[in-house]
Amino acid sequence: MSEAASIQSKVETKPPKVLLDHYLKTLRLPSFKREYEKQAQLAAKSGEDHVKYLLRLTELELIDREQRLIERRIRAAKFPAVKSLDTFDFKAIPSLNKMLVQDLVRGDYIDRRENVIALGPSGTGKTHIALGLGLAACQKGLAVGFTTAAALVHELMEARDEKRLLRLQRQLANLKLLIIDELGFVPLSKTGAELLFEVFSQRYERGSTLVTTNLPFDEWTEIFGSERLTGALLDRLTHHVHILEMNADSYRLTQAKKKRRSAAQPPAGNGA
Ligand code: ADP
Ligand code: MG
């Protein structure tokens, strides 16, 4: 039986609502399906015509679809925690260019395929900033990936052993934003360094890469081993780059000290 004939036979045998629900499901229009009765009642009450009624249903579907995409992007990014920049205290780190961060949140650097390097000692909020920028990119509907340098190298080596390196490399190259956290914490093996270099190389001018590191550039040779490889890598990474200077005392330590101080010294005056 042809598709049209099959639809025709269903129309004859099933109540229209059952069929409509079935077709909306087939067409993947869940918000349409959920809302059409309620919206019809509202339209009847306010005397709205059918175009306005359909328009509202279509808009609801679009908005929900966008929201579902964002949620999918956030899940796919594999953030260790979902943090936004709304909870970031810029006053705690005067060395950080707040205007630049706010500009990066808008995401134009991703369209321009530019990179970001957050550089500074431990506890200064580098991961928080990376998570915030990653979340902002997901909210624009972009494909984002979050990983640490050590985990990425591990994953690449495993993929190579299992003969699926090309597939993984293609997936990584297709991300609009790849965040590589904690570069420089552990020195890399020769193979590890080469595999990581390939990731940077394949993303060069194709997508944005955000790196957080505690190591100034002149010490990168220590992690990558070879001076030639490090030079080539830095050349690609820093060709179009925004550098976030994050020099401050550790936020965690400062907060802990503050807490201890206020515990030892109960606040004077009218504080409860
Ligand atoms: P890093 O990656 O530089 O070691 P993190 O981003 O992991 O630092 O920061 C350590 C902890 O302190 C995290 O829980 C982070 O959310 C918090 N933190 C750091 N800096 C700030 C800040 N300026 N405002 C709010 N929270 C911060
Ligand atoms: Mg970190």
Side-chain angles (χ1 to χ4, degrees):
M1 204 186 319
S2 74
E3 179 103 343
S6 133
I7 289 174
Q8 191 54 40
S9 88
K10 278 186 194 146
V11 170
E12 278 155 14
T13 53
K14 290 210 174 144
K17 188 178 147 25
V18 175
L19 272 180
L20 180 58
D21 283 353
H22 173 70
Y23 293 154
L24 289 174
K25 199 170 167 206
T26 310
L27 289 168
R28 293 183 215 286
L29 298 169
S31 310
F32 228 96
K33 180 166 171 288
R34 193 187 62 233
E35 290 284 332
Y36 73 85
E37 282 187 312
K38 187 175 130 207
Q39 295 299 332
Q41 283 166 9
L42 291 175
K45 236 188 243 167
S46 61
E48 226 174 45
D49 66 21
H50 68 282
V51 175
K52 279 206 186 127
Y53 164 67
L54 284 175
L55 175 66
R56 197 171 25 241
L57 278 179
T58 314
E59 277 172 349
L60 280 172
E61 189 67 56
L62 271 176
I63 292 166
D64 287 354
R65 190 172 284 190
E66 223 164 80
Q67 196 52 42
R68 288 194 299 272
L69 172 70
I70 291 171
E71 280 159 18
R72 241 189 354 264
R73 293 296 195 213
I74 293 172
R75 271 197 308 274
K78 300 210 177 87
F79 297 122
V82 176
K83 281 189 191 179
S84 104
L85 290 172
D86 297 343
T87 56
F88 193 81
D89 175 13
F90 284 90
K91 281 196 224 70
I93 176 152
S95 81
L96 179 62
N97 183 343
K98 183 179 175 183
M99 293 259 281
L100 174 55
V101 176
Q102 284 169 334
D103 188 48
L104 292 175
V105 170
R106 281 194 283 276
D108 298 343
Y109 75 103
I110 301 176
D111 298 332
R112 295 192 299 262
R113 300 168 167 86
E114 294 163 353
N115 300 321
V116 179
I117 300 174
L119 177 64
S122 187
T124 52
K126 298 183 299 298
T127 301
H128 192 141
I129 289 281
L131 288 169
L133 290 177
L135 184 64
C138 287
Q139 282 162 343
K140 298 226 148 48
L142 301 174
V144 177
F146 186 105
T147 181
T148 62
L152 179 57
V153 166
H154 184 83
E155 212 184 324
L156 288 161
M157 303 252 252
E158 205 173 69
R160 192 194 53 161
D161 293 345
E162 292 167 9
K163 306 213 181 318
R164 49 177 183 83
L165 181 60
L166 271 174
R167 186 153 37 113
L168 176 60
Q169 284 176 328
R170 214 172 300 135
Q171 283 165 0
L172 291 167
N174 282 336
L175 294 169
K176 293 283 177 210
L177 173 65
L178 173 63
I179 300 172
I180 304 177
D181 200 19
E182 298 185 350
L183 188 75
F185 274 46
V186 273
L188 304 169
S189 66
K190 185 165 177 291
T191 319
E194 282 165 4
L195 286 170
L196 197 54
F197 171 78
E198 272 183 53
V199 172
F200 284 105
S201 192
Q202 287 161 353
R203 293 189 58 75
Y204 175 63
E205 293 193 334
R206 273 198 67 170
S208 294
T209 308
L210 188 162
V211 170
T212 82
T213 181
N214 56 337
L215 276 194
F217 296 139
D218 55 3
E219 289 172 38
W220 280 34
T221 313
E222 284 163 35
I223 1 168
F224 286 95
S226 142
E227 208 161 296
R228 190 185 48 81
L229 189 91
T230 310
L233 187 146
L234 278 174
D235 198 43
R236 283 162 180 75
L237 187 62
T238 60
H239 184 192
H240 311 284
V241 76
H242 303 275
I243 298 195
L244 300 174
E245 296 266 4
M246 303 194 52
N247 291 308
D249 292 333
S250 160
Y251 186 82
R252 270 185 291 244
L253 263 172
T254 315
Q255 293 299 100
K257 272 189 209 154
K258 265 192 200 156
K259 233 182 249 165
R260 238 177 290 140
R261 229 176 295 140
S262 62
Q265 247 176 13
N270 55 8

